[in-house]
Amino acid sequence: MSQLIPSLFGGRRTNVFDPFSLDVWDPLFSSALANNVPSSARETSAFVNARIDWKETPQAHVIKADLPGLKKEQVKVEVEEGRVLQISGERSKEEEEKNDKWHRIERSSGKFMRRFRLPENAMMDQIKASMEDGVLTVTVPKKEDKKPQVKTIDISG
């Protein structure tokens, strides 16, 4: 249901339902909960909103995630049963010194997790991932579309 609602936190606003997206972060549910949770618990359970693009080319599904400031060791890419691709990680909170006076805190910290159900044509055993300049790229090759074979039938007579 949350996929029908425009994203409040993402870069692009869209009302398009995405049947493949299984986002763990639900802004409506989380903001309703936030009012009833102590601030210490909110800080430790803060989710980083990883912005993700997913495009399909003739050869592959390509998923790119903006993860600025993270190293590849802080990110996990996993495949689960049922063709589910999971991208997760954690951005550590910056250490606070006693004498520091913060004027603004906008960069988020905490854990994030995004899950996507891949279509039938995804070659799950050939997924590759790379990270460069804070952008994770996951490439999922596609099986070739089998074209229906046409057989010509000789007409007798």
Side-chain angles (χ1 to χ4, degrees), residues 15 18 54 71 95 101 137-138:
N15 288 329
D18 182 359
W54 175 355
K71 297 180 175 98
E95 294 295 320
K101 179 180 176 184
T137 302
V138 180

Side-chain angles (χ1 to χ4, degrees), residues 9 41 54 58 65 68 74 76 105-106 114 125 127 130 145 150:
F9 301 102
W54 175 355
Q74 296 172 292
K76 265 192 206 176
I105 298 175
E106 293 183 355
R114 298 290 301 270
D125 57 337
I127 296 174
S130 64
D145 287 336
V150 177

Side-chain angles (χ1 to χ4, degrees), residues 28 43 47 52 62 70 72 75 93-94 102 106 108 111-112 127 130 133 146-147 150 153 157:
L28 293 180
E43 289 173 11
F47 274 70
I52 295 189
V62 181
L70 291 183
K72 69 179 186 177
V75 179
K93 192 173 183 180
E94 195 165 320
W102 290 90
E106 293 183 355
S108 55
K111 296 179 182 181
F112 69 91
I127 296 174
S130 64
D133 297 329
K146 297 201 177 187
K147 300 191 184 205
V150 177
I153 308 296

Side-chain angles (χ1 to χ4, degrees), residues 2 10 19-20 26 29 36 39 43 48-50 67 72 79 81-82 105 107 120 124 127 130-131 134 143:
S2 65
F20 300 118
D26 184 340
F29 181 69
N36 300 320
S39 62
E43 289 173 11
V48 176
N49 184 33
L67 304 172
K72 69 179 186 177
V79 177
E81 286 186 46
I105 298 175
R107 297 181 311 135
E120 294 283 339
M124 302 302 289
I127 296 174
S130 64
M131 187 129 165
K143 297 175 187 169

Side-chain angles (χ1 to χ4, degrees), residues 21-76:
S21 180
L22 301 169
D23 293 348
V24 170
W25 177 252
D26 184 340
L28 293 180
F29 181 69
S30 298
S31 62
L33 275 181
N35 296 329
N36 300 320
V37 176
S39 62
S40 60
R42 265 183 277 163
E43 289 173 11
T44 57
S45 65
F47 274 70
V48 176
N49 184 33
R51 294 183 177 174
I52 295 189
D53 292 337
W54 175 355
K55 73 176 178 179
E56 183 175 353
T57 68
Q59 297 80 27
H61 294 275
V62 181
I63 298 168
K64 292 191 176 201
D66 285 345
L67 304 172
L70 291 183
K71 297 180 175 98
K72 69 179 186 177
E73 295 80 20
Q74 296 172 292
V75 179
K76 265 192 206 176

